[in-house]
mmCIF file of all heavy atoms in Angstrom:
data_model
loop_
_atom_site.group_PDB
_atom_site.id
_atom_site.type_symbol
_atom_site.label_atom_id
_atom_site.label_comp_id
_atom_site.label_asym_id
_atom_site.label_seq_id
_atom_site.Cartn_x
_atom_site.Cartn_y
_atom_site.Cartn_z
ATOM 1 N N PHE A 31 7.552 8.858 -0.564
ATOM 2 C CA PHE A 31 6.546 7.826 -0.821
ATOM 3 C C PHE A 31 7.202 6.461 -0.728
ATOM 4 O O PHE A 31 8.397 6.311 -0.990
ATOM 5 C CB PHE A 31 5.865 8.031 -2.176
ATOM 6 C CG PHE A 31 6.791 8.350 -3.317
ATOM 7 C CD1 PHE A 31 7.280 7.342 -4.140
ATOM 8 C CD2 PHE A 31 7.182 9.656 -3.570
ATOM 9 C CE1 PHE A 31 8.129 7.626 -5.190
ATOM 10 C CE2 PHE A 31 8.031 9.953 -4.613
ATOM 11 C CZ PHE A 31 8.513 8.941 -5.427
ATOM 12 N N THR A 32 6.418 5.460 -0.347
ATOM 13 C CA THR A 32 6.987 4.154 -0.020
ATOM 14 C C THR A 32 7.128 3.231 -1.231
ATOM 15 O O THR A 32 8.023 2.393 -1.266
ATOM 16 C CB THR A 32 6.125 3.453 1.042
ATOM 17 O OG1 THR A 32 4.767 3.382 0.587
ATOM 18 C CG2 THR A 32 6.176 4.221 2.366
ATOM 19 N N ASP A 33 6.261 3.366 -2.213
ATOM 20 C CA ASP A 33 6.298 2.513 -3.399
ATOM 21 C C ASP A 33 6.823 3.333 -4.569
ATOM 22 O O ASP A 33 6.170 4.266 -5.019
ATOM 23 C CB ASP A 33 4.892 1.984 -3.700
ATOM 24 C CG ASP A 33 4.879 0.996 -4.859
ATOM 25 O OD1 ASP A 33 5.917 0.843 -5.536
ATOM 26 O OD2 ASP A 33 3.829 0.362 -5.073
ATOM 27 N N SER A 34 8.006 2.987 -5.039
ATOM 28 C CA SER A 34 8.642 3.791 -6.082
ATOM 29 C C SER A 34 8.052 3.542 -7.475
ATOM 30 O O SER A 34 8.403 4.235 -8.423
ATOM 31 C CB SER A 34 10.148 3.509 -6.113
ATOM 32 O OG SER A 34 10.383 2.151 -6.421
ATOM 33 N N ALA A 35 7.163 2.567 -7.599
ATOM 34 C CA ALA A 35 6.555 2.267 -8.899
ATOM 35 C C ALA A 35 5.399 3.217 -9.162
ATOM 36 O O ALA A 35 4.232 2.811 -9.212
ATOM 37 C CB ALA A 35 6.073 0.813 -8.924
ATOM 38 N N ILE A 36 5.742 4.488 -9.339
ATOM 39 C CA ILE A 36 4.699 5.484 -9.533
ATOM 40 C C ILE A 36 4.546 5.827 -10.997
ATOM 41 O O ILE A 36 5.464 5.645 -11.802
ATOM 42 C CB ILE A 36 4.980 6.771 -8.724
ATOM 43 C CG1 ILE A 36 6.249 7.466 -9.230
ATOM 44 C CG2 ILE A 36 5.091 6.458 -7.243
ATOM 45 C CD1 ILE A 36 6.445 8.854 -8.649
ATOM 46 N N TYR A 37 3.383 6.351 -11.330
ATOM 47 C CA TYR A 37 3.093 6.786 -12.692
ATOM 48 C C TYR A 37 3.457 8.256 -12.837
ATOM 49 O O TYR A 37 4.050 8.672 -13.829
ATOM 50 C CB TYR A 37 1.611 6.556 -12.966
ATOM 51 C CG TYR A 37 1.199 6.709 -14.401
ATOM 52 C CD1 TYR A 37 1.331 5.649 -15.283
ATOM 53 C CD2 TYR A 37 0.652 7.895 -14.854
ATOM 54 C CE1 TYR A 37 0.942 5.787 -16.604
ATOM 55 C CE2 TYR A 37 0.265 8.041 -16.165
ATOM 56 C CZ TYR A 37 0.406 6.983 -17.030
ATOM 57 O OH TYR A 37 0.023 7.119 -18.330
ATOM 58 N N ASN A 38 3.071 9.055 -11.859
ATOM 59 C CA ASN A 38 3.461 10.457 -11.810
ATOM 60 C C ASN A 38 3.288 10.988 -10.401
ATOM 61 O O ASN A 38 2.781 10.292 -9.513
ATOM 62 C CB ASN A 38 2.666 11.305 -12.814
ATOM 63 C CG ASN A 38 1.161 11.280 -12.564
ATOM 64 O OD1 ASN A 38 0.695 11.353 -11.437
ATOM 65 N ND2 ASN A 38 0.387 11.180 -13.636
ATOM 66 N N LEU A 39 3.748 12.211 -10.193
ATOM 67 C CA LEU A 39 3.637 12.875 -8.902
ATOM 68 C C LEU A 39 3.141 14.285 -9.160
ATOM 69 O O LEU A 39 3.608 14.961 -10.084
ATOM 70 C CB LEU A 39 4.990 12.894 -8.182
ATOM 71 C CG LEU A 39 5.021 13.525 -6.780
ATOM 72 C CD1 LEU A 39 6.020 12.772 -5.892
ATOM 73 C CD2 LEU A 39 5.346 14.993 -6.828
ATOM 74 N N GLN A 40 2.207 14.722 -8.341
ATOM 75 C CA GLN A 40 1.620 16.032 -8.515
ATOM 76 C C GLN A 40 1.719 16.832 -7.230
ATOM 77 O O GLN A 40 1.504 16.302 -6.132
ATOM 78 C CB GLN A 40 0.119 15.876 -8.898
ATOM 79 C CG GLN A 40 -0.287 16.669 -10.100
ATOM 80 C CD GLN A 40 -1.702 16.342 -10.588
ATOM 81 O OE1 GLN A 40 -2.159 15.217 -10.610
ATOM 82 N NE2 GLN A 40 -2.405 17.384 -10.978
ATOM 83 N N TRP A 41 2.028 18.116 -7.352
ATOM 84 C CA TRP A 41 1.991 19.043 -6.225
ATOM 85 C C TRP A 41 0.767 19.944 -6.404
ATOM 86 O O TRP A 41 0.514 20.462 -7.491
ATOM 87 C CB TRP A 41 3.256 19.894 -6.176
ATOM 88 C CG TRP A 41 4.438 19.192 -5.600
ATOM 89 C CD1 TRP A 41 5.410 18.513 -6.274
ATOM 90 C CD2 TRP A 41 4.789 19.101 -4.214
ATOM 91 N NE1 TRP A 41 6.335 18.007 -5.402
ATOM 92 C CE2 TRP A 41 5.983 18.354 -4.124
ATOM 93 C CE3 TRP A 41 4.219 19.580 -3.034
ATOM 94 C CZ2 TRP A 41 6.618 18.078 -2.908
ATOM 95 C CZ3 TRP A 41 4.834 19.306 -1.830
ATOM 96 C CH2 TRP A 41 6.030 18.556 -1.772
ATOM 97 N N PHE A 42 0.043 20.115 -5.279
ATOM 98 C CA PHE A 42 -1.151 20.947 -5.274
ATOM 99 C C PHE A 42 -1.032 22.015 -4.193
ATOM 100 O O PHE A 42 -0.319 21.852 -3.215
ATOM 101 C CB PHE A 42 -2.404 20.106 -4.957
ATOM 102 C CG PHE A 42 -2.741 19.057 -5.970
ATOM 103 C CD1 PHE A 42 -2.230 17.773 -5.859
ATOM 104 C CD2 PHE A 42 -3.586 19.348 -7.028
ATOM 105 C CE1 PHE A 42 -2.551 16.793 -6.782
ATOM 106 C CE2 PHE A 42 -3.922 18.372 -7.961
ATOM 107 C CZ PHE A 42 -3.393 17.098 -7.829
ATOM 108 N N ARG A 43 -1.828 23.042 -4.384
ATOM 109 C CA ARG A 43 -1.989 24.078 -3.368
ATOM 110 C C ARG A 43 -3.451 24.076 -2.958
ATOM 111 O O ARG A 43 -4.348 23.978 -3.812
ATOM 112 C CB ARG A 43 -1.601 25.427 -3.963
ATOM 113 C CG ARG A 43 -1.988 26.606 -3.102
ATOM 114 C CD ARG A 43 -1.755 27.909 -3.807
ATOM 115 N NE ARG A 43 -2.310 28.994 -2.989
ATOM 116 C CZ ARG A 43 -1.675 30.135 -2.754
ATOM 117 N NH1 ARG A 43 -0.493 30.346 -3.293
ATOM 118 N NH2 ARG A 43 -2.229 31.051 -1.998
ATOM 119 N N GLN A 44 -3.709 24.196 -1.633
ATOM 120 C CA GLN A 44 -5.072 24.291 -1.145
ATOM 121 C C GLN A 44 -5.184 25.457 -0.181
ATOM 122 O O GLN A 44 -4.504 25.490 0.846
ATOM 123 C CB GLN A 44 -5.525 22.998 -0.454
ATOM 124 C CG GLN A 44 -6.992 23.017 -0.037
ATOM 125 C CD GLN A 44 -7.469 21.720 0.556
ATOM 126 O OE1 GLN A 44 -6.710 20.991 1.183
ATOM 127 N NE2 GLN A 44 -8.762 21.399 0.362
ATOM 128 N N ASP A 45 -6.043 26.408 -0.514
ATOM 129 C CA ASP A 45 -6.331 27.502 0.391
ATOM 130 C C ASP A 45 -7.457 27.069 1.327
ATOM 131 O O ASP A 45 -8.256 26.189 0.989
ATOM 132 C CB ASP A 45 -6.722 28.747 -0.399
ATOM 133 C CG ASP A 45 -5.547 29.295 -1.193
ATOM 134 O OD1 ASP A 45 -4.648 29.873 -0.562
ATOM 135 O OD2 ASP A 45 -5.504 29.126 -2.424
ATOM 136 N N PRO A 46 -7.549 27.668 2.518
ATOM 137 C CA PRO A 46 -8.537 27.238 3.514
ATOM 138 C C PRO A 46 -9.951 27.186 2.949
ATOM 139 O O PRO A 46 -10.438 28.158 2.381
ATOM 140 C CB PRO A 46 -8.397 28.299 4.606
ATOM 141 C CG PRO A 46 -6.990 28.781 4.494
ATOM 142 C CD PRO A 46 -6.695 28.777 3.017
ATOM 143 N N GLY A 47 -10.613 26.051 3.124
ATOM 144 C CA GLY A 47 -11.989 25.902 2.682
ATOM 145 C C GLY A 47 -12.174 25.837 1.178
ATOM 146 O O GLY A 47 -13.306 25.924 0.685
#
Side-chain angles (χ1 to χ4, degrees):
Chain A
F31 45 94
T32 55
D33 185 351
S34 62
I36 65 170
Y37 191 84
N38 60 42
L39 182 145
Q40 230 171 320
W41 281 94
F42 296 90
R43 168 188 173 135
Q44 185 176 31
D45 292 287

